[in-house]
Amino acid sequence: MSAVLEAVRAGRAGETALLLTKLPDAERRALVPELQKLRKEIRATSWAERNERMYPALQVAGAMCHGGAAAAAAWIAGADMRWRRAPVETLLKALADRDTGWQADVARRLAARPVSADVPFELMAGLVRRSGCEVPVTEAYVVGWVRHVGHTWGRLSLVERLRAEPDLAALVNGLFELSDLAEVRWLFGDGPGSWQSSLAELAHAGTLDRGAVLDACVARLLRGGGPTDHRVFLPLLVELAPNRDEERARVADWTSLARDAVSPVAAHAQSVLAALALDGVLTPRQLAEASEGLLFRAEKKLVRAQLVLLGKVLGREPSAAPELLPAVAQAFGHEDTQVQERALKLVERHAGRLDEDTAARSEVAAAVGQLSPALRIRAAAVLGVAPGPEPEAYQEVLPPAPEPLRLAPAPDSALELAEEVGALLASGGDVAAFERVLDGLARHAHRDQDALREALEPTAATRWWRQPEAHRRWHAEEYFGPTRRGLLGTEDGLELVLATLYGVVSTATLLAAQHRGPADHDCPRHGFSRVLDVRFRELAHRIRTDPQPLLLATPSWSTGLLEPDELVDRLDAYRRLGARAGEADFAQALLRVRREDRATALAAAGRARGLGTPEGERLARWLSAGGPAPPMSARRTSGPRILVEAGEVLEVQLHFPEAFRRLGRPVTVSDQRRYCYHWVQENHGTWLATLPEQRELVAVRLLHDLAEAAVDDQRGTAAALPLLAESGGAAGESTHLCVAYGLGARHPEDRLAAVDALLVLAARGQLDAERLGADLGQLVRRGAVKPLRLAESARTAAATGANATIWEMLRHTLPVLLADLATAGTPGSARGLGELLSVAAECAERTGAHGELPHLSGAAARKGSSRLVVQARRLRDALAGPVAA
């Protein structure tokens, strides 16, 4: 036995197998505990010291020594065995002396493992072949087979390799049953020699049952799978080329696919149904059933194609109108008014055929209310019904503006605080959670640092700076010290405070970093990050040298706003305790304290002056002065972008510590273009909480990054927009430009964030729709915002009930673009202009808007039936017609 273990430790898999072959079963089983002990010993070893050469021999030894098939399979497929496996042939030879039933059992158990277990296909197939058992058609086995066949290069083509497979039919059936082809989709190409063409060739040749393959392919498309699995099975269906009889036998399947399948599959099913309908194979009832589902789909191309088909069938067989026109009327509810008009034209052309079928006429008439107002009047006249009741006066429905939340006090228990610290480090949190934890760390460090360390130990033990030096990627002194490149974000800042509590960072390093800070970087966003960085460093240094009883800057509200009375109370507590206020902490408190409510601010100023401390006197002067005058600003262009330059804020530049002065410096276009290495999106919440009553100072520094979301397709930069809308202070030029860029952002989640911000500003009465609309017109004209993206954002906002708001915005956007259309023919901004006109027309119809829109009549008078022209006419008619619902 010692010889076996010695061979395993040396990593000699072949010698291990040879030694075990000579041992009886009882002695092999007796080795299992020793092998398990060795396996645990390897697992407990650090990655740097682990001897992975042992694994192949260990895998062979465990497979040979376990008597049960389940235990052997579990050992072979163990996660730790994947890093260094034994060669498949070595394993197969090692198990060759087992009976065939045992080998078959192991094969089935290995095949039942998930695909992620990555059991070698050659091992499973070898055990199946040697045992003579039925092939296990599991996900892991089928995926392994597809990989094996796809990777087997040589002179044989894929179809020849497949033809040589003895279990081809069973494995091909398994291929159709895979839940997702993500693991092997890349192996399925296109054209001759692909899997699809090879399987189709074998089906046509009779090697595979063609009918069974066709049924399985259709069934798989009906069932669906991964998001792109149709790229495998739809080409196979096309390669199988079902004849007309086979297509006729599957009418119900094509109907289901046309209704519910992904767009490419639905288009194929629609084409099959269209051919059957034009050949007279489909009954009107079958065509109506297929159309009812198709006309509800969002894809305009599919809906238009179905209406064309219905028109052809009705033209050839007018008697089918009572069956088909109710299906056509389903398109009256489509969001695209051009689709509605196409459907209405069909009804107008064949409405006379409904005179003798009152049920069909009633069904069509019931759908008239879904049409746009202008079309509704036409349909009512054709069908001889009333156009509907007089609409009620429109009332704007805006989502309620979110209310700021009061921050709960810092946890009084060190254990509770430790839980919150662990949660923040694990998954992050908002400004409120971060500020509460920061205040809690200061309070408990002042109260009892030993108790705080004891409570934090489970969290601190997992941090990188508590690991042995050999396993650290960074040295804590360098990572947190003044030579660090980049400023501390929220997570690194918490790490610094914790590392300080545990003595990992020296006092000298903390002092040097606090005074010198990391390498400076001249960009407009640097000020916010620098403020956060210096607050962390000051807190860490004070924990080591002079713990603060509490933090003065902890906000009262989730937006970062601090109530003046609370700040006075905190300064009073400092006075009673004889504590020294932190320079950065007090400066941040001043920037956060509420000054807009003048009565409250002046009352708190009197209390602060009565404290008789320098901080109290400074707060009193700050509160009495009121808010600073907004800096001078000027609009500038940079390529397609429109940006804003802002002047300096002397109040911040002259009376605050050096780390805060950048917040008051001027912002130029050249500053905004400069790449900033330290900037991270997750700090946006802290930016707004730094200046909770100075929204424009934040917005002007965000502006370039929001422009990137629209112009350069950056992702995630618009996430700050709802926070910007919820912030305090005037919503001026920079704020509205930020929202404008967000509405034209590339990514849907960014556009949705911009819509949220727009609705919040509107609900708070702070949205200047005229300014926003004019900005959007100029941005679209310059190419910074694409009309199609803007139209999608506007439609999303209008769908919440903000039709009047969106109309007021687009009323000032469209004239700019229509003027270009009138003077330049077809400018670049005309692409997607039809969609913008469609949204505007819908909003105008719903709100009953009237009046002239500059240059609209010229667009409506253009020839043709393009979407732009049709929607321009619709908007013109809506603005000139009666009020509609």
Side-chain angles (χ1 to χ4, degrees), residues 40-51:
K40 290 179 181 178
E41 178 185 318
I42 300 175
R43 286 175 175 172
T45 307
S46 68
W47 283 106
E49 301 170 359
R50 184 170 295 178
N51 184 2

Side-chain angles (χ1 to χ4, degrees), residues 699-714:
V700 75
R701 289 160 170 80
L702 281 173
L703 191 52
H704 181 268
D705 302 309
L706 267 298
E708 296 288 296
V711 178
D712 294 328
D713 299 345
Q714 294 294 319

Side-chain angles (χ1 to χ4, degrees), residues 8 31 54 98 206 373 386 409 468 608 615 654 784 857:
V8 170
L31 273 171
M54 287 190 278
R98 298 297 185 100
E615 289 78 18
L654 299 178
S857 58

Side-chain angles (χ1 to χ4, degrees), residues 138-160:
T138 64
E139 294 248 342
Y141 196 91
V142 173
V143 167
W145 172 69
V146 172
R147 289 172 175 168
H148 174 74
V149 174
H151 287 154
T152 306
W153 302 106
R155 288 179 295 178
L156 295 179
S157 65
L158 177 60
V159 69
E160 290 171 324

Side-chain angles (χ1 to χ4, degrees), residues 60-148:
V60 169
M64 296 182 71
C65 291
H66 280 92
W75 184 278
I76 292 170
D80 52 340
M81 300 292 181
R82 296 178 209 165
W83 303 107
R84 288 286 300 273
R85 290 192 178 101
V88 170
E89 284 303 318
T90 301
L91 268 175
L92 289 174
K93 288 179 182 178
L95 302 177
D97 61 343
R98 298 297 185 100
D99 64 77
T100 56
W102 187 92
Q103 292 188 45
D105 196 2
V106 171
R108 286 190 291 268
R109 291 178 183 276
L110 290 175
R113 294 265 166 174
V115 176
S116 58
D118 199 24
V119 178
F121 170 77
E122 293 82 358
L123 176 61
M124 295 185 287
L127 290 170
V128 168
R129 184 174 61 253
R130 293 185 178 206
S131 65
C133 69
E134 185 177 344
V135 62
V137 187
T138 64
E139 294 248 342
Y141 196 91
V142 173
V143 167
W145 172 69
V146 172
R147 289 172 175 168
H148 174 74

Side-chain angles (χ1 to χ4, degrees), residues 228-560:
T228 57
D229 283 2
H230 63 274
R231 295 179 183 173
V232 173
F233 296 109
L234 181 58
L236 175 57
L237 178 62
V238 173
E239 290 278 357
L240 289 170
N243 58 41
R244 188 64 79 222
D245 290 337
E246 290 171 327
E247 290 175 342
R248 185 186 301 114
R250 295 172 174 81
V251 167
D253 294 333
W254 307 128
T255 299
S256 296
L257 290 172
R259 285 181 171 185
D260 304 320
V262 295
S263 190
V265 177
H268 177 78
Q270 183 187 41
S271 68
V272 174
L273 289 170
L276 292 173
L278 295 175
D279 286 351
V281 175
L282 288 188
T283 66
R285 182 67 257 162
Q286 288 175 317
L287 179 56
E289 288 176 358
S291 300
E292 286 171 359
L294 261 168
L295 294 176
F296 273 116
R297 293 189 68 107
E299 300 94 331
K300 298 172 189 176
K301 183 177 180 180
L302 294 181
V303 175
R304 287 195 295 265
Q306 194 66 17
L307 289 174
V308 170
L309 172 63
L310 288 166
K312 290 180 180 179
V313 173
L314 284 167
R316 190 182 62 186
E317 192 178 347
S319 61
E323 290 274 11
L324 296 181
L325 288 185
V328 171
Q330 299 291 330
F332 288 179
H334 201 278
E335 65 176 16
D336 187 351
T337 55
Q338 285 184 287
V339 170
Q340 293 181 14
E341 187 168 15
R342 283 175 180 267
L344 179 56
K345 285 180 178 178
L346 274 179
V347 172
E348 288 173 333
R349 194 177 306 140
H350 300 281
R353 296 282 177 176
L354 298 178
D355 292 340
E356 298 178 1
D357 194 323
T358 56
R361 176 177 286 275
S362 298
E363 195 172 343
V364 174
V368 168
Q370 302 177 68
L371 289 166
S372 66
L375 297 179
R376 193 182 311 156
I377 295 171
R378 277 175 52 185
V382 169
L383 296 170
V385 297
E390 285 296 319
E392 297 179 0
Y394 175 78
Q395 290 186 343
E396 185 84 337
V397 179
L398 292 170
E403 294 291 334
L405 301 175
R406 264 280 186 179
L407 258 69
D412 190 56
S413 162
L415 288 174
E416 184 182 348
L417 174 65
E419 290 177 0
E420 295 194 15
V421 170
L424 271 180
L425 290 173
S427 55
D430 56 14
V431 170
F434 156 68
E435 292 288 352
R436 284 183 71 247
V437 161
L438 211 59
D439 186 39
L441 288 169
R443 290 173 183 265
H444 284 275
H446 179 268
R447 186 183 307 168
D448 188 342
Q449 291 197 15
D450 290 336
L452 178 58
R453 278 190 288 270
E454 183 179 352
L456 287 168
E457 180 59 33
T459 297
T462 65
R463 311 319 298 170
W464 62 268
W465 39 265
R466 282 289 296 278
Q467 306 309 309
E469 288 287 340
H471 302 152
R472 288 190 198 173
R473 185 175 177 182
W474 302 284
H475 192 282
E477 291 283 315
E478 295 176 357
Y479 188 80
F480 295 121
T483 59
R484 169 190 172 93
R485 177 176 173 80
L487 298 163
L488 295 172
T490 53
E491 183 175 337
D492 279 345
L494 284 178
E495 296 276 12
L496 169 62
V497 174
L498 295 182
T500 300
L501 277 168
Y502 284 87
V504 175
V505 185
S506 68
T507 306
T509 297
L510 293 172
L511 181 62
Q514 184 182 2
H515 287 322
R516 290 164 52 196
D520 203 3
H521 193 269
D522 187 21
C523 86
R525 297 180 293 269
H526 182 86
F528 295 103
S529 299
R530 184 75 178 99
V531 166
L532 188 64
D533 179 273
V534 77
R535 287 182 63 205
F536 276 123
R537 296 186 184 281
E538 180 182 83
L539 174 59
H541 184 254
R542 290 291 297 272
I543 284 175
R544 180 65 57 77
T545 60
D546 181 17
Q548 298 159 272
L550 52 85
L551 292 185
L552 298 171
T554 304
S556 308
W557 300 94
S558 56
T559 57

